[in-house]
Every structure is written in structure tokens, then in C-alpha cells.
Amino acid sequence: MAGYNPYQQTGYQQGASSQSHFAPNGAPNQYGGTPQSGYGPQGTPHQDQGYFPPQGQTNVNNNGALGALAEQADRMSLGGDAAAAPYRPNKKKNRHVYHNLEQPAASMQSFGGGAQGQHGFMSTDNSQQMSAGHPYAGQQVTQAMNQFPAPANAPFSPGLQAPSPGFRSQPQQVPSNAGPGVSQGKVDPEQIPSIPRLRDAATQYYLDNVYPTMEQHIPPPAAVPFVAHDQGNSSPKYARLTLNNIPATTEALATTALPLGIILQPLAPLQEGEQAIPVLDFGEIGPPRCRRCRTYINPFMTFRSGGNKLVCNMCTFPNDVSPEYFAPTDPSGVRVDRPQRPELTVGTVEFMVPKEYWAKEPVGLHWLFLIDVGQEAIQRGFLQAFCQGVLLALYGDEPEKEDDGEQNGAAPEIPRRIPAGSQVGFVTFDRSMYFFNCNAKLEQAQMLVMPDLEEPFVPLGSDGLFVDPYESKPVITDLLQRLPRLFSRQKSPEPALLPALKATQAALAATGGKVICSLSALPTWGPGRLILRDKNDLHGIETERKLFQTEHADWKKVANSMVQSGIGVDFFLAAASGGYMDIATIGHVSAISGGETYFYPTFTSPRDVQKLTKEIERTVTRETGYQALMKVRCSNGLQVSSYHGNFLQHSFGADLEFGSVDADKALGVMFSYDGQLDAKLDAHFQCALLYTTAGGERRVRCTNTVASVSESLPEVMRFIDQDAVVSMIAKEAATRMTERTLKDIRNALTEKTIDILAGHRRTSPSGHPAGQLVLPENLKEFAMYILGLIKSRAFKAGHEPSDRRSHTMRLLKSASPLELSLFLYPRIIPLHSLPDNSCFANPETGHLVVPASIRALFGRVEDGGAYLVDDGQICLLWLHEHVSPNLLEDLFGPGHTNLADLDPSLSSLPVLETHLNAQVRNLIAYWSSIRGSKALTLQLARQGLDGAEYEFARLLVEDRNNDAQNYVDWLVHLHRGIQVELNGGRRKEEGEGGVGAGLEGAMAGLSNLIGR
């Protein structure tokens, strides 16, 4: 039937307009949800939800937010001509050993892709973009690159892509009522830098293109999946420099105000299609190293004297080449066997190391599951869920296949989920400790009780406590299934955690290993008992920072002992009814030991069971090492100034120590100058991680990164890695939480943002009017990320439980750039307007067709809409109160026609044969593969019904919420600060704005700008 819409609601009219409405991507809204006037680009919204703060909506007329902003811009003289600036390439020849960073720049354009001569409040310095005539654009695909699904084409640059809806915005329009201070100018909502637009464009580009690590020096956005081709420079998945073109002097770096550092994630997981990390064995002599600075052999070392001398790329010391490693060089000085030597061609490699690198005999990883069997764990279903998660992690969810084994007269073969040689053990605790012997020769596990909490010891030998999980599968399965019943009659509300940790440290002292601990109540029993410290009397004052650190000497001692024994600890904490858990103290053990804390502030069974079990599975099955040491080396002229992350360092300059290290952990390293860099040479960085693999091999993983050195600050600004800069600032800010007040940190973040943007303005080519906000091409979204950081639970103003702040603080310190990017700005997909072909494989390429995301702004939310929101920690399915009944039936099955029919404890979608159901399940599966350590499970946020809708409102980071400004106000705030800084009138003093007392008068009424 022509014009028939199967999802049109009967008897409900969402808007007065009779026109056909379309989804943001231009496709008809298949669910008939005619957006109510105001949530689209036109009209004023009718908003009756009480949980959103009052604010104006963004629209393209002068009425409302942007109209008020245009009036404010008129008074502030924001606008003017943006003339094209000539580009003058540096005259440097043969300054790199194997690569060249110099590239021509594109012509200047107005922000958003408008023609030259357009004017506005905001402009992007497109002089930093790469030209379409890139020297590598026509490069042939080499034989080594044929294994990848796509060739290494020209570098991704948003300014070079063809205009398309949702990516390149339309030219700015000239307002009819331009004020006297503006010749032309108006703020278009599409002109404001958009993180979703950047991500979507980069995602589409890297579906068809490989990232070559030597040919392109601006890594893809961290939240975008890509295949990297290692050409000697390590993939940005392992190491991301904040500046890929480094200033030659410390004075030049200070002018930019940018941090010089590197974000390291040494065990980052590979993506399908990427080359495996080579593992090299040089026998008893070990890998070649520089005799002076101890740098490991890498692709940037050179050979002289016919191959007899090895020149270190860090300290330039000429080393004698051992006879075992000698090979002649060709006339150009390159070893003839270079193509066959991965250590000379690949940026990330692993070396097997001899016994001199051993601290103890390497063995397979020993996992010890320390399980809380107290009253809260049993009553809330946490104990049963944790046991399910351990079974899933060890054996998967596949049904047992015993028929084949019985017919052949042999035990069935069980697929291993942890490496051969790994062993597991089980200990439970409440007011006592219970050790279990799971020897495969037993029919049932034997339990030994340890009531002594003052001096606990291990009553079992290593042969009984630690067993092969696949040889003892029947015993372990029976034990984990019986545990909830076994302790159901014991009413012990107060667990004794610290004695249990001491016992596990004693059990693993000889071998090292990993502890997986569950806890469901504040441990108030026995030695190391904790008390309620957060009584709401310290919030908002200077002493609040004491709540974010432990002052308990015994807990600090246990944490240090864990690291010295090569033991990492992961905690799974389920707060009873959102109660206090003192994560600052308990999480200190996991942070120092290199582990992770999973926090469930309001654990509810069965809603959170799937999330818990999947995260336990992730913890056990991801790549994990233990007994780890890390050393970071850099070129002459630079030195390490500080580290930011979760680790133990006894003194500055000493190696970083980790009880365990895994694929999801990252840390930041800051550098400073101890001299002047030579602009004719590159700057080199090497991270060496010495660790024992889960399979029991002692290895060193070397990550090598190179950067150019330049005396031209505009050249420096062209090669900024935005995600690395944001990660470094976030990690440093989180480190300061135990030293400074939260207000001081928020002010410092504001000051840093103004300094960076003002530094760019000083170094950018002339041609921009003084009243125009100019953003670096590679830092367009930087301001939004910092606003998201200020709004995070770690730093936000107002009341926030100290447990939440402490947990977020440690998350920021250890999060990878991918996880941090999503955490600061979530991805949001409207489900009610999905095109028919989205979320299915492209028949030509086989890649999933990913739908366009929308900005985190309530003005983008439509009446009757359904939205999937993911910040890397939780995933919300937000449903408008007037959502279509047909949409609900397509998603959840027949009979679910209104929100009240849905199960609030739902954590996943049912498997249905409807088109929409398949689309959303495919999207969730895709998102699950491109996020950090947290499992992706659904949580319903039904408007007017679920408390999770408050979380949805908090995740709309472009709105005014979390006691902070909205995005537009924030940009105006920064712009005024930049203007004062450039005029020399800015004083860095205390104050919420962070831009000095001299600006207070100018900032009066700023919070009321939107909605004026």
C-alpha cells in the first residue's frame, strides 16, 4: 500500500505538522515518530521532564541559544576576515634516516568547509591539514602489505574528504540583523566542532584503508577501529605521542603550552588483519643492546664500518657488533639481511631473555580466586553470579561434549581458555578463611578452615591449592555450583579482607600470579578493618582529598608486598544498596599492583549478573603478564620527568614495577628537556616491558616510536595527537587529586585549555581577525573533551560519593585512549530511524554498515525516540515515554507494547527474527569489540520510570549539567579567556572560571547566556 507505515501509531499525534518527517540521516522515520516541534532543527521544545536542567535549545534562528549567542558575539566583536596564510616549508634535506615528515599544507578555509571569505565566531586553522597531493598518495602496495585488506592510501584528514551529509557542514549564513561589532557572523550549530562527526568520518575511512605507521604521523582517533601496518614505528595502539613533531627547545614547547609525553599500552590487543608481534630468541647472549644506555636493538639503529659498528639511536654511541649478530652492509649502509630481521623492520617486537633477566623461575600464571561468602554476597545473589562468571571464564558457555569421549574410551577434550601451564586455586572468606583442595583425583573438593586472622598461613601445599583447571574440571565445577548453598546458613555480615589478602600473598609468594577477589560489604572485621570515613562532612572543602587516598599503613604494606612478589589483584566490588566501600583504600592494592577495580555501586540481580560474568571472563581471558618491570628511554636532549598511571615506583628514576600487567592498561610518561634537540635528527622513544607471560615465558616487549624535530611551531601544531594530549592531561589531573582540591584541579584544566588554544593563536599564521576563536585543525574537539573531563565524576562540582570519585580517578589513570575517549564523550545512536541497510554487512566489502551517531545534546533527542548510549562503562537503552508500540514489539517481542511491560532487570535483547532486533544486536556486538575492559550489557532507561534516565541526562555532556556549563557557553568562556591572555591582561588566580579576577566583570551573566 503506497505510503503505508507499519510503525505509525494509532490515535497518537506527536506533532502538529502534517509534513513528512525524516531521521537525521535523511531516511524516513520508519516508526512514524513525527518529532515534536522543538527537538528537531525548528521550533521551541515543549519540555516537561523534571530531571533535565532548564536550558534553551539549539536552533538555527536568532531565537533561543544561538540567537542569544549571536547577539553576544555582536557585542564582543566576534568575527572578521580569515585570510589565507602562505605556507613556507622548512628547507631541510636528508634529515631522517628512513622517513620524511615534511608535507605540503592545504589552503586556509573557514571553519566547516565554507568558502574563503566567510566569517564567523569560530574558525579552524586548516593550514595544518595535509594536501591532497600527499607524497604517499600514489604509493604502490608493497609485498609486505599485501596481507592487509586494504592498501595504505593518503592520510586521513577531515579537510580532504568529499563533502557528505553529517560530515562537512554548510557554509555559514550571514545574519540579517548583524550588530555593529560584527561585519558578518553567526554561530551555526553545525559549525561547532563535533566529536561524532569526526568519529563517523574516520570510521568510514579506515574501513577501507590501512594506517601505515611510517607514512602517516597523525594517528586515527582513539575510538575508531583501524588496522595498523607496522613499518618500523610502533602502532598507535601501543604508543601515542602527544606531539609527533617536537619543538627543538624547551622555550618553544612552553610557547605552545602542550604536554610532551607518550601514552603507552604495551599489551594492547591486535585487531583482525594485523600482523602478530614477532617473538625473537637470541639464546643465552640475549638481544643486542647499547652498552652505554642499554637501549634494545630497533629499526632506527644504524650500522657502520661494513656492519661492525652498531650506532645507538638514543645516545649515538657506536657499539661493537658481536660475531653472532654480524652481517655485512650494502653500499648505502643497510644490512643485507635487514628484510629478514624483524627487530630491524618492525616497531614492536618481543625478545626471549636469558636467566640473567629472571627474578624467579618463570612458570605458568597462577590464578587465585578469593571469594566473599558473607551474608550480603549470598542474599544479593552476588556470590552465585561470581561463581557463574568464573565457570564462564574457565570453560565458556558451550555445552559439554561427552559422547565422543565416551565412545572413544578417552576423556573429552576441553578447549583451553587460559594458556597451558596456568593453574587456578580457590579460597573463600567471611570472618574466617576457607581453602579448597581441588585435586583431580578427588571426587569432591576438600575444605580446610583457617580461623586465625592475626597470623594466617596456607594449610595446603601447592599441589592441592593450585590445579590445572581442565584436569580438575569436574571438581571445580561441582565446587562453584555448591558454594552458594554451602555457606547459605552462615550469617557473617562482616568480612575480613586484609587477612585473606595476606594469605593469598603467602600462597603466591613463590611463583607470583593474579588474585581475583569479590567483595560485597565494607570489611569491618579483623586486622585492617575499615570504618566509614565518608560522612559527608568533608565534601567541598580542602580536606576532601583525604577521602581519595588510604591512610592505613597495613593496606599500603600489603600492596607493596604484592608487587614485590609479582602478584596483581583485581577487585569486583558490589556495594550493598549503594553503601560505602572505601574504594580509596581497597582499590589502592589493585592500583599499586597493576590490577583493576570493577565497581557495581547498586548491584542488582539478575540485572547486573551478565555484566559481572562477562567482566570476569574478560579479566581471565585477556592477555596478562606478571612480575613486570618497565623502563622508558628517550633521545639525548630529553629526559623522563614524570609517570602517571597505576604502578609502584620506589624512587624517581627507578624502574616501574607491576605485580601484573594486562591488555587494557595504559599509562602516561611526561618528558622534559635537558638540552636542545637537533632539528636535523629525529627524536626516539623506547618502552621496554620485562614480564612473564601467562604461559610461563620471560620476555621483553619493546615498543619503538619516532618523532620529527622542528624549529617551526606551525609545523609542530600540524602533528598533534588530540587523544594523546587529552589522555595525558586527564592522567596528570587524576594524579593531582590526592594533592589539590577539586576546585583547583577544575581551574587548572580551564587554565590549561586556554593556554593551549592561546599558544596556537600565537604560533598560527596571521590572517585571522582578533575577535575570532581559532582552533587548531587537530585539536578542534579538544575543548569538548576537557569539558567532559571537568564533568566526570572525578572532578565535577557538587556532591559526589567519595567511592565514585576514587573509582573514576583510578579509571582515568589506567584507561587506554580508546576507553577514555568514550568515557569523556559517549556514542549515541538513534534506533527509531536506523536505515534498512545499517548494522548489517556491506555485501561488497563485508564490513558492518555503522549508522551515524548524534551529538550528546538533548536538543537532538526526538519525541517518541529510542537511543542507544555507550560511554565504555555502561550502555543505556533510553526510551521516550511516547515511543512507538510497534518499535517495542520489534525490539522485545510480541506483547510488549508500552514501557511498563518491559522488565527493568533486562540486560540483553531477546533473539527475534525482526529486522530492528537484528540490527540492534549486531550494533551491540560491534560495540562490544571496540571498547575497553568493561563488558557491554544493556540497562533500560525508560523515561519517567527508571532511575537510569538520570544517568542518561548526565551523559548528555554538551548540555548544562554536572554543575558545569554547556558546550556553547564553554567555548565562549574559553574565547574570552584567550582574548585576555593574548592582550596580556590575564592573571592565573583562584576562581571557578580560572581566568583571573580581571575577567570576572566580563564574565558576568555568562551562565545565563543560553536561553536569554
Side-chain angles (χ1 to χ4, degrees):
M1 182 183 301
Y4 171 70
N5 188 339
Y7 300 110
Q8 182 68 48
Q9 296 190 42
T10 304
Y12 174 69
Q13 198 71 13
Q14 294 190 17
S17 173
S18 61
Q19 298 177 356
S20 175
H21 288 259
F22 294 87
N25 55 16
N29 189 334
Q30 58 176 324
Y31 295 107
T34 306
Q36 184 171 346
S37 176
Y39 295 113
Q42 62 274 48
T44 303
H46 172 71
Q47 182 175 332
D48 56 0
Q49 291 79 22
Y51 59 88
F52 288 102
Q55 64 183 58
Q57 296 299 320
T58 304
N59 52 79
V60 299
N61 298 320
N62 281 339
N63 300 324
L66 295 174
L69 184 58
E71 295 175 6
Q72 179 77 352
D74 293 345
R75 292 189 296 271
M76 294 165 54
S77 297
L78 303 180
D81 294 332
Y87 170 70
R88 298 176 180 175
N90 291 336
K91 298 180 180 179
K92 302 173 185 175
K93 299 181 180 180
N94 303 324
R95 42 179 291 242
H96 303 287
V97 179
Y98 295 115
H99 69 291
N100 185 3
L101 280 175
E102 299 299 328
Q103 298 166 3
S107 60
M108 183 76 68
Q109 294 179 347
S110 63
F111 182 84
Q116 296 186 17
Q118 295 286 351
H119 314 288
F121 162 64
M122 194 178 305
S123 178
T124 306
D125 188 0
N126 290 336
S127 65
Q128 299 161 20
Q129 292 184 358
M130 308 305 169
S131 168
H134 190 275
Y136 303 106
Q139 177 188 349
Q140 295 181 351
V141 179
T142 64
Q143 183 177 0
M145 298 166 61
N146 284 335
Q147 59 183 312
F148 296 97
N153 290 334
F156 167 75
S157 177
L160 303 180
Q161 308 304 312
S164 59
F167 176 38
R168 298 305 302 271
S169 56
Q170 298 299 321
Q172 296 176 333
Q173 302 298 322
V174 180
S176 57
N177 58 344
V182 183
S183 58
Q184 294 179 5
K186 178 183 177 182
V187 177
D188 189 322
E190 295 304 323
Q191 302 283 9
I192 298 177
S194 169
I195 293 178
R197 186 185 307 148
L198 171 72
R199 289 175 178 172
D200 291 344
T203 298
Q204 294 302 318
Y205 178 84
Y206 284 106
L207 283 177
D208 302 318
N209 296 275
V210 165
Y211 175 77
T213 61
M214 288 294 289
E215 299 170 11
Q216 297 181 27
H217 289 267
I218 301 179
V224 171
F226 64 94
V227 173
H229 173 39
D230 192 333
Q231 299 174 317
N233 191 28
S234 289
S235 166
K237 296 178 181 179
Y238 302 112
R240 299 181 79 111
L241 281 168
T242 57
L243 301 175
N244 292 284
N245 202 349
I246 298 174
T249 64
T250 183
E251 293 80 12
L253 179 66
T255 302
T256 68
L258 288 163
L260 175 57
I262 189 171
I263 303 296
L264 297 169
Q265 191 180 355
L267 299 183
L270 293 170
Q271 185 168 318
E272 184 179 356
E274 291 183 325
Q275 185 179 10
I277 303 300
V279 180
L280 310 176
D281 189 356
F282 287 87
E284 292 300 322
I285 63 173
R289 303 180 66 180
C290 175
R291 289 193 290 119
R292 175 189 287 176
C293 67
R294 306 301 293 162
T295 298
Y296 289 86
I297 185 72
N298 62 77
F300 305 101
M301 287 187 174
T302 57
F303 292 85
R304 295 179 183 172
S305 302
N308 289 291
K309 292 291 185 180
L310 175 64
V311 181
C312 178
N313 60 310
M314 298 290 181
C315 65
T316 69
F317 180 75
N319 299 268
D320 292 331
V321 178
S322 64
E324 297 85 357
Y325 193 64
F326 174 78
T329 59
D330 61 18
S332 64
V334 178
R335 281 175 61 121
V336 295
D337 65 343
R338 179 182 176 86
Q340 290 77 43
R341 290 284 187 180
E343 72 274 15
L344 300 180
T345 57
V346 179
T348 303
V349 297
E350 285 199 339
F351 300 110
M352 302 285 291
V353 293
K355 291 184 178 180
E356 60 187 87
Y357 292 80
W358 297 2
K360 58 184 69 174
E361 183 77 21
V363 296
L365 184 58
H366 285 51
W367 300 85
L368 186 55
F369 294 94
L370 185 60
I371 306 175
D372 177 13
V373 291
Q375 181 177 345
E376 285 288 346
I378 296 173
Q379 291 181 349
R380 294 188 168 276
F382 185 64
L383 173 58
Q384 184 175 0
F386 190 84
C387 293
Q388 292 177 7
V390 176
L391 288 173
L392 176 66
L394 294 178
Y395 309 116
D397 53 4
E398 295 294 329
E400 297 185 18
K401 300 179 181 180
E402 300 182 355
D403 296 340
D404 295 341
E406 293 176 356
Q407 292 175 3
N408 299 331
E413 182 178 353
I414 304 172
R416 297 191 68 96
R417 310 200 76 200
I418 58 177
S422 300
Q423 294 185 324
V424 298
F426 298 91
V427 178
T428 62
F429 69 99
D430 44 25
R431 289 187 176 183
S432 302
M433 287 170 284
Y434 311 89
F435 294 79
F436 292 90
N437 184 350
C438 296
N439 193 291
K441 298 178 181 179
L442 300 174
E443 294 184 359
Q444 194 175 73
Q446 296 177 346
M447 182 175 72
L448 287 82
V449 182
M450 171 55 62
D452 187 359
L453 300 181
E454 297 295 334
E455 297 181 358
F457 62 92
V458 182
L460 283 173
S462 59
D463 293 339
L465 182 59
F466 292 102
V467 297
D468 186 294
Y470 301 99
E471 294 178 358
S472 301
K473 180 182 178 182
V475 181
I476 294 174
T477 302
D478 175 71
L479 170 64
L480 294 175
Q481 291 175 345
R482 289 191 303 113
L483 273 182
R485 299 192 306 270
L486 186 63
F487 292 93
S488 60
R489 296 183 180 180
Q490 296 185 221
K491 306 296 183 181
S492 299
E494 300 173 306
L497 178 58
L498 188 64
L501 290 174
K502 290 182 177 179
T504 58
Q505 190 270 334
L508 291 168
T511 61
K514 190 68 179 280
V515 177
I516 308 295
C517 177
S518 69
L519 183 68
S520 59
L522 185 68
T524 56
W525 186 262
R529 66 178 62 88
L530 301 178
I531 61 174
L532 178 62
R533 293 197 294 158
D534 188 358
K535 300 179 181 179
N536 295 329
D537 57 343
L538 298 179
H539 290 211
I541 61 178
E542 185 174 355
T543 53
E544 182 180 10
R545 62 176 180 265
K546 294 182 178 179
L547 298 175
F548 310 143
Q549 55 188 318
T550 178
E551 299 178 347
H552 206 298
D554 288 345
W555 284 86
K556 294 180 179 179
K557 183 178 179 180
V558 167
N560 292 344
S561 298
M562 289 285 188
V563 179
Q564 293 172 4
S565 301
I567 305 168
V569 184
D570 284 356
F571 286 108
F572 290 83
L573 307 181
S577 303
Y580 180 66
M581 295 289 288
D582 199 353
I583 291 181
T585 298
I586 298 174
H588 176 77
V589 179
S590 63
I592 291 296
S593 66
E596 187 167 1
T597 299
Y598 296 84
F599 184 40
Y600 309 90
T602 55
F603 181 85
T604 303
S605 179
R607 184 195 67 191
D608 298 322
V609 169
Q610 185 181 20
K611 182 174 178 62
L612 172 64
T613 55
K614 284 188 174 183
E615 289 176 347
I616 296 174
E617 179 186 23
R618 169 72 177 175
T619 298
V620 174
T621 57
R622 66 188 173 190
E623 184 175 4
T624 303
Y626 66 105
Q627 297 180 28
L629 297 172
M630 178 183 286
K631 182 72 172 180
V632 178
R633 297 177 174 89
C634 54
S635 295
N636 285 340
L638 296 174
Q639 61 183 356
V640 174
S641 61
S642 61
Y643 296 93
H644 302 287
N646 293 334
F647 50 80
L648 175 65
Q649 188 180 27
H650 292 288
S651 61
F652 182 76
D655 294 349
L656 306 185
E657 300 182 35
F658 306 84
S660 65
V661 59
D662 60 67
D664 295 320
K665 298 299 181 298
L667 73 155
V669 185
M670 291 284 289
F671 301 100
S672 61
Y673 290 78
D674 62 0
Q676 182 172 344
L677 299 178
D678 188 349
K680 298 178 181 179
L681 301 175
D682 293 329
H684 299 274
F685 306 87
Q686 184 181 82
C687 166
L689 177 70
L690 173 64
Y691 72 108
T692 303
T693 68
E697 294 180 343
R698 195 70 171 161
R699 299 180 182 177
V700 172
R701 176 167 290 197
C702 288
T703 303
N704 300 284
T705 310
V706 64
S708 179
V709 178
S710 178
E711 296 175 345
S712 169
L713 289 182
E715 275 291 295
V716 171
M717 302 299 291
R718 291 176 56 205
F719 295 96
I720 300 174
D721 185 340
Q722 177 173 255
D723 290 290
V725 172
V726 171
S727 295
M728 188 63 68
I729 291 175
K731 293 180 187 302
E732 185 175 9
T735 303
R736 300 287 179 259
M737 281 186 65
T738 58
E739 306 168 4
R740 305 286 299 276
T741 65
L742 297 178
K743 182 179 179 180
D744 288 343
I745 294 175
R746 291 193 298 271
N747 292 343
L749 290 171
T750 304
E751 297 280 357
K752 189 66 173 178
T753 306
I754 293 174
D755 287 341
I756 290 175
L757 297 180
H760 165 258
R761 187 60 186 267
R762 291 193 188 97
T763 61
S764 62
S766 60
H768 295 287
Q772 194 172 48
L773 176 60
V774 182
L775 300 177
E777 172 62 28
N778 296 321
L779 287 177
K780 291 200 306 291
E781 297 79 20
F782 173 70
M784 184 63 246
Y785 278 121
I786 297 299
L787 179 60
L789 183 63
I790 292 174
K791 290 185 175 185
S792 69
R793 283 196 164 99
F795 307 121
K796 67 181 289 290
H799 176 79
E800 190 71 29
S802 63
D803 276 351
R804 289 289 189 99
R805 290 197 189 273
S806 298
H807 179 253
T808 306
M809 173 189 73
R810 296 204 172 102
L811 168 67
L812 294 174
K813 292 172 67 176
S814 66
S816 66
L818 163 62
E819 189 168 10
L820 182 63
S821 178
L822 292 177
F823 182 69
L824 299 182
Y825 195 99
R827 47 194 174 194
I828 305 177
I829 300 292
L831 303 182
H832 56 280
S833 57
L834 287 177
D836 290 341
N837 65 332
S838 68
C839 301
F840 292 106
N842 186 315
E844 297 180 357
T845 64
H847 297 306
L848 188 77
V849 179
V850 183
S853 53
I854 64 172
R855 290 167 53 183
L857 184 68
F858 192 63
R860 293 292 190 267
V861 175
E862 300 178 3
D863 266 16
Y867 296 86
L868 201 61
V869 186
D870 176 30
D871 73 341
Q873 308 298 309
I874 61 173
C875 183
L876 299 178
L877 176 55
W878 187 83
L879 300 170
H880 191 272
E881 60 181 346
H882 298 306
V883 67
S884 167
N886 294 331
L887 183 147
L888 294 179
E889 286 194 323
D890 273 4
L891 272 181
F892 303 101
H896 299 87
T897 57
N898 60 71
L899 297 183
D901 295 335
L902 304 180
D903 183 2
S905 63
L906 184 76
S907 60
S908 61
L909 289 178
V911 179
L912 305 176
E913 295 182 357
T914 62
H915 189 81
L916 179 64
N917 182 273
Q919 284 181 300
V920 178
R921 286 188 290 107
N922 288 343
L923 180 61
I924 292 174
Y926 170 73
W927 278 2
S928 299
S929 64
I930 52 171
R931 69 200 319 249
S933 60
K934 307 304 187 295
L936 194 155
T937 58
L938 285 182
Q939 183 174 352
L940 285 183
R942 301 168 295 175
Q943 188 179 27
L945 295 177
D946 296 318
E949 64 174 335
Y950 291 94
E951 188 71 13
F952 173 74
R954 189 187 70 83
L955 293 179
L956 299 177
V957 290
E958 291 196 30
D959 284 329
R960 182 182 299 130
N961 52 25
N962 296 290
D963 296 281
Q965 300 163 316
N966 63 31
Y967 189 17
V968 176
D969 279 352
W970 172 245
L971 289 176
V972 174
H973 183 73
L974 295 178
H975 181 54
R976 293 300 305 272
I978 294 168
Q979 285 185 307
V980 175
E981 171 70 15
L982 295 177
N983 293 330
R986 177 165 162 253
R987 291 183 297 157
K988 299 180 180 180
E989 300 177 357
E990 289 191 3
E992 193 63 31
V995 291
L999 193 59
E1000 291 179 359
M1003 289 287 106
L1006 178 65
S1007 60
N1008 297 321
L1009 175 61
I1010 299 300
R1012 177 175 295 177

